[in-house]
Amino acid sequence: MNTAALFVGSSAFALAAFIVLSAGMDRHREDFLAALPADLTHGINPARALTHTNAGHARMCGWLLLAASFAPCLWQWPAALAALVWLGLLSVAGVATGLMWTYAPQRAPHTVHTALAVGALAACVWAAMG
Amino acid sequence: MRADAKPEGLRQAMSWLHTWSSLVLGWLLFAVFLLGTVSFLRLEFDEWMRPELQHSRAAQATQAQLLEVALAHLHQQAPTSANWTVSLPGDRQSMLAVSWRKPPEPGAAPGGRPVTVTHYLQADTGQVITPRETRGGGFLYRFHFELYAMPRIWARWIVSIATAAMLVAIISGVITHKKIFSDFFTFRPKKGQRSWLDAHNASAVLSLPFHFVITLSGLLLLMNMLLPWTAQYVYEGQGQQFLAELRGQTPPQPASNAQNPARQGEGAARGSQGQGQGQNSSRRTAEQAQPSAPAPTVSAAMVTPLLEHAAAQWGPGQVARIIIDAPNTARTSIELRQETGETLSQRGAPLALRWRLDPSGEPQLQTPKEATPPSFIRATYNILTATHLGRFAEPAVRWLLVIAGLSGVFMVASGMVLWVVKRLPQRAKEGRTPRGHRLVEILNVAAIAGLPLAMAAYMGANRLLPVEMAARADAEIRVFFLVWLAALAHAAIRPHRSAWREQMLAAAAAFGALPIVGAVTGGVALPLALIRGQWGPASVDVFCLLLAASCAVVVWWLDRAKPAVKSAMKPAVKAAAKASPKPVAKPTTKAVVQAAASSATPTITTMQESQA
């Protein structure tokens, strides 16, 4: 159970990280900006806040989120096993990111929000279970 | 290697290397990758394929009950054995198993390997369960690096060469890939060759660390066979010493082994045949036997507090094995071991607690010998090979390895298909199919669709062949190869697309049916296995359903993707229409594909026409 919560949380953060990272890439940036709802321009929109300034900013946020997805693995296992598990989760999150850009690019900001929420929730569950 | 003698860029050269190094051994690599992935679930397959063991009720019994049953059986069956092992049900097995080292037959050659006997026990009655004769997951595991029915060394060399080719393909593939970063998350569907290339790239790049490590470590595991000369030179034929030092063990003491034959006559000196036990053998020879003390009896009441001690230290349910050395003697020791350890640099060596019985029969906890940390090179080797063997993995991590393995399977398969797809326009222009292309098509279907089909047949045969049949294990394997051969024949006589569709459909149906067939023929049904926490059979059922879904997706995609191939196939359609005796007024999508397929396989067309 403990591991399951860790997997969910870590891969959710990795998913958010990959989407934010790729939102800073030329190929996906237009898609991402187009997907941001216009009426939220001035509201609080984490996805926009994460990416809107410039591509470099998005990249930094992405790397930070990636680090956040690695942290619980490192907490749970010795370094080598932690890296192995993390890379496995990254693969899954990477495939999900690719499929999202192909089939539902308009859902990118929404996916970031959901992933962050799920990740935070799973992190709480994981922390509560010790 | 350009025909026009212009200088060739690095990328073109690597592209050539990537294409051809992968193609030649690709079919073998596909089998190695798929069966290697299955090997992560080897013990789970073993249990699935021995349904008798799934009803041992061990998962529901209390630890005290299990201990009682196991020790009673050992006392009765092997009171004089040197070593007892009790395997408790856990994540990877749901039965209770006891094993003991059988003393060598009198008159057997000294130094011969001691035989280990294993019995599976019914948890409530203590009766021995005799499972059906099968090689289970072991056959699939062995095939992935030793193939079948050929000298082991040859087979290992062949697989090693394929693995080396894989490593070449991975490195040259990365160099060839023009936009590895900007195309990181890119998949462009419905674009024929482009889509295949994207899919191939995505499956390769996103799991690149896994592919690289699994390939490299595959070679490392066989390195003593591949590059034996250094060790031979340095150790001058002392192969045992080399292997022992390689594992970080003290070399076996020739003196302790020499005592064996002499000691076997004495009943009291059991437990000195510590062959192949590494650390244990040297430790035990240091201990002095106390023949005068009365031998305490190992009982469940004695072991239960030790289990409680372990539970307090490790958490509940962590003890996988109870190893009792020299039972019923004055030198008895009891060791509790976890299933696996998590430190890959120590090869996932499990944590253990060890007690020695003092003369009054009271267990005394031993302070473990501080393990020397492995050297840097050793640690690197350990981390890489431990990843490959995957023994350390708890179920969730194991499944992650399985998924990574499947992505590798997909990478190899998509690369093989891409080779064919890439040459379709050229074929269409020429209006004929070169023999080599047709051969690749046939082998692609036979390997990529045929092998899963053969696997499903192997598992089906395990359940459907009569249990008491003679040479049953061989019969299962024969079914595996016959079905694989049939898949090859089918791929050769059917048009390419139909062959794909029919075999994938058959594989999807077979894998989809296996969980049901398994439950009907004596296994535990998937929902029940999940409720009871019998993860072994449950994992295999889920794996089957996963493969069924994957094959079904291919079938669905083949049916749906017909319009997408239209543009690529247009010239072929014209050629086919010209050749066809019946006028094609308005080619439907179905007709387009059939025409394209039949023009791609002229020999088959004539055969079908003559039949009609």
Side-chain angles (χ1 to χ4, degrees), chain B residues 44-302:
Chain B
E44 286 76 359
F45 268 78
D46 277 347
E47 190 172 337
W48 193 93
M49 293 177 79
R50 292 182 177 91
E52 296 82 3
L53 299 179
Q54 297 172 20
H55 300 285
S56 70
R57 303 189 156 274
Q60 297 96 291
T62 65
Q63 222 160 34
Q65 271 176 314
L66 295 173
L67 265 180
E68 202 77 59
V69 166
L71 291 176
H73 189 78
L74 285 165
H75 275 299
Q76 191 207 341
Q77 293 285 323
T80 60
S81 170
N83 172 283
W84 291 350
T85 302
V86 178
S87 301
L88 297 172
D91 288 336
R92 298 197 71 192
Q93 68 169 45
S94 64
M95 65 282 193
L96 172 68
V98 294
S99 54
W100 63 89
R101 199 124 16 93
K102 206 174 169 183
E105 300 287 323
R113 272 185 102 95
V115 185
T116 303
V117 186
T118 301
H119 278 179
Y120 302 101
L121 302 180
Q122 191 75 34
D124 38 11
T125 62
Q127 273 175 331
V128 177
I129 309 171
T130 314
R132 62 187 60 194
E133 189 203 333
T134 177
R135 286 200 47 206
F139 164 68
L140 304 171
Y141 161 73
R142 287 275 159 192
F143 191 91
H144 108 273
F145 67 105
E146 289 178 350
L147 308 178
Y148 186 72
M150 65 159 68
R152 184 174 283 189
I153 293 293
W154 285 30
R156 287 185 176 204
W157 269 103
I158 293 171
V159 173
S160 298
I161 291 167
T163 313
M166 176 90 187
L167 203 58
V168 168
I170 288 176
I171 295 167
S172 58
V174 169
I175 298 173
T176 309
H177 193 351
K178 273 184 226 150
K179 300 176 179 166
I180 194 161
F181 290 112
S182 67
D183 276 0
F184 209 83
F185 299 112
T186 306
F187 176 63
R188 286 156 283 195
K190 297 184 187 171
K191 292 212 169 98
Q193 188 189 331
R194 162 57 61 197
S195 309
W196 278 104
L197 185 59
D198 280 346
H200 183 58
N201 287 345
S203 59
V205 172
L206 290 172
S207 297
L208 188 62
F210 175 81
H211 300 323
F212 185 77
V213 165
I214 212 77
T215 309
L216 180 65
S217 56
L219 286 173
L220 281 179
L221 283 168
L222 296 174
M223 71 178 181
N224 294 334
M225 181 195 81
L226 298 172
L227 300 169
W229 304 288
T230 322
Q232 279 170 5
Y233 179 73
V234 174
Y235 286 84
E236 294 171 343
Q238 301 285 316
Q240 289 300 319
Q241 192 190 347
F242 166 66
L243 289 176
E245 286 184 20
L246 193 68
R247 294 195 193 99
Q249 295 167 350
T250 43
Q253 308 278 322
S256 78
N257 286 344
Q259 288 170 359
N260 267 350
R263 278 204 185 181
Q264 271 154 25
E266 312 162 22
R270 294 181 302 262
S272 59
Q273 308 113 344
Q275 279 234 309
Q277 274 238 318
Q279 305 112 315
N280 284 353
S281 68
S282 57
R283 195 186 300 159
R284 236 185 287 138
T285 45
E287 293 160 4
Q288 290 299 314
Q290 297 173 329
S292 56
T297 312
V298 179
S299 65
M302 182 192 288

Side-chain angles (χ1 to χ4, degrees), chain A residues 27-53:
Chain A
R27 190 184 293 283
H28 307 291
R29 188 152 181 79
E30 290 303 312
D31 277 345
F32 187 80
L33 294 178
L36 281 174
D39 56 333
L40 280 180
T41 315
H42 303 292
I44 299 166
N45 186 334
R48 173 169 282 271
L50 285 171
T51 53
H52 86 291
T53 349

Side-chain angles (χ1 to χ4, degrees), chain B residues 505-528:
Chain B
L505 197 60
F511 276 117
L514 272 174
I516 300 164
V517 172
V520 174
T521 53
V524 173
L526 177 58
L528 191 60

